[in-house]
Each structure stands twice: as structure tokens, then as C-alpha cells.
Amino acid sequence: MATSSGPGRVLAYLESAKNLTGSACGLAGLALTFTGLAGAYWPVVVAGLYGAGALIAPPARPAVPDFPDGSERLEALRTDFATLRAYLGEVDLPPAAAGRLVELTEVLDGLLAPGWVSEVLATDPEGVHALSRAVHQDIPESVDTYLRTRWWTRITPGSEPPERHLERQLELLHREAEALAGGLREAESRRQETHTRYLEDRGGL
């Protein structure tokens, strides 16, 4: 491993800005030598100019990681949302909870549908994160916890009905989704108002 990395490091340095800048300064030192200005100390002059050039050159900078942008994350999230809906279609829920779940998934479906809404959402990292959390964590956890708790309730009756917690959880998630949609709507409204003010200012009205 060491033998393979050694030549690679040497090659990387030869191609680096430090070596190229130092070499250019070293060539300037050789030019001084040929003109007789460096005198008998020309090796020191050349080496010194090379070192100075290597020092002033900007350090090597690693490439910035290429992470998926908002559009790519939403595209992957649409696939995961379809998987989630298939799972929810196999779950037997009480009528009230099932109704709240339908309301929630309708809002999420509207936010994720390809079009200008999702294009606006893609520019909001916090919104994409909140949507991803709902699809990947909150909804599956709420439903699965209900199913597991319901089984225990059947063999140990007398505890609080688990569907109450599920209904409350789905209600809170629905509010979060509506708040996200409302924030996008307000952003578009502000954009419209800004354009109106721009036109008014441009026309001197």
C-alpha cells in the first residue's frame, strides 16, 4: 500500500500549485544566473527563489463533496413515499385514525407532486428535511407503534385505547404538513408583492 501511495504523492506534488510556482521562481533564478547577477551563489539564489515561490503559492484544497441537491432528494423521497403508501394500504386502522391519515397523505402528496410546488420546496432545505422526517420516521413509527400497542391492549384490557394516541399523532403531523404548505404559500405571496412594488417603483407610481 505504501509503495503505491508514494509515487502518487510525488506526482500530486509535481502537479501542485506550490511546485509550479516554486519552479517558475527557480527558473527566474536561473535567468539571473545566466545574466551574471546571481554570481557564485547562484545555487542558493535558485533554491531560495524556489522555496519562496512554494511558500507563497496557495495550499492545495480538497474538492467539495457533491451532495444531492433539493430536487434530487425530493425525487428519492417520492419513491419512498410511494413505498410508505403501499405499506399504509395494508394496515387496518380505526375509522377516525384512517380519516386523519388520508388528510395527512393528501397534503404530503400535494407537496411532493412534480411541478412548481415541489420546485419551490426544493429550495427550502428545512422543508425538505421536515418532509423526509415525516415520511421516513414519524408516520411509520406512529402506525407501527399503534399496531404493537393494540396487540398488548387486547391481552391486557383496561389501559388507554392506543387509537387515541394515533389520532393525536396524525393530527399533529397534519398540522406540521399544513404549516409547511402555508409557509410555501406565504413565500410565493411575498414574491408576488415584491414584484408589485418593483413595478410600482419602476413606474414612479
Side-chain angles (χ1 to χ4, degrees):
M1 184 66 68
T3 57
S4 62
S5 62
R9 292 178 181 177
V10 173
L11 181 60
Y13 178 76
L14 291 176
E15 296 175 347
S16 68
K18 285 185 174 296
N19 180 59
L20 295 177
T21 305
S23 297
C25 292
L27 290 175
L30 288 176
L32 293 176
T33 300
F34 293 143
T35 58
L37 296 177
Y41 299 100
W42 68 268
V44 177
V45 173
V46 173
L49 288 175
Y50 176 87
L55 287 175
I56 64 175
R61 183 171 56 89
V64 177
D66 185 18
F67 295 118
D69 60 15
S71 299
E72 292 173 329
R73 293 179 60 191
L74 282 181
E75 186 62 33
L77 191 55
R78 289 189 188 101
T79 302
D80 295 340
F81 183 57
T83 302
L84 175 63
R85 297 194 73 166
Y87 159 73
L88 296 175
E90 299 177 358
V91 175
D92 180 24
L93 298 179
R100 292 196 179 279
L101 184 60
V102 169
E103 295 174 351
L104 172 59
T105 54
E106 285 179 349
V107 176
L108 298 181
D109 187 56
L111 291 171
L112 285 171
W116 68 268
V117 174
S118 62
E119 291 175 0
V120 175
L121 178 60
T123 63
D124 180 10
E126 293 297 327
V128 175
H129 173 71
L131 206 57
S132 176
R133 182 180 57 196
V135 172
H136 293 147
Q137 177 181 338
D138 294 335
I139 299 176
E141 177 69 15
S142 295
V143 174
D144 186 60
T145 302
Y146 160 76
L147 295 175
R148 288 185 282 117
T149 306
R150 181 181 63 177
W151 184 84
W152 285 106
T153 303
R154 288 175 178 175
I155 64 174
T156 57
S159 59
E160 184 178 7
E163 55 266 23
R164 292 182 183 176
H165 287 284
L166 177 61
E167 292 171 16
R168 178 58 175 163
Q169 291 167 7
L170 294 177
E171 178 185 1
L172 294 172
L173 291 173
H174 183 248
R175 289 183 182 179
E176 287 186 1
E178 284 192 323
L180 176 58
L184 296 176
R185 181 180 63 249
E186 291 177 3
E188 288 301 296
S189 296
R190 289 193 298 268
R191 179 183 177 185
Q192 184 184 37
E193 293 170 0
T194 299
H195 189 58
T196 300
R197 288 194 297 268
Y198 162 72
L199 294 176
E200 290 174 346
D201 295 340
R202 189 177 69 181
L205 300 178

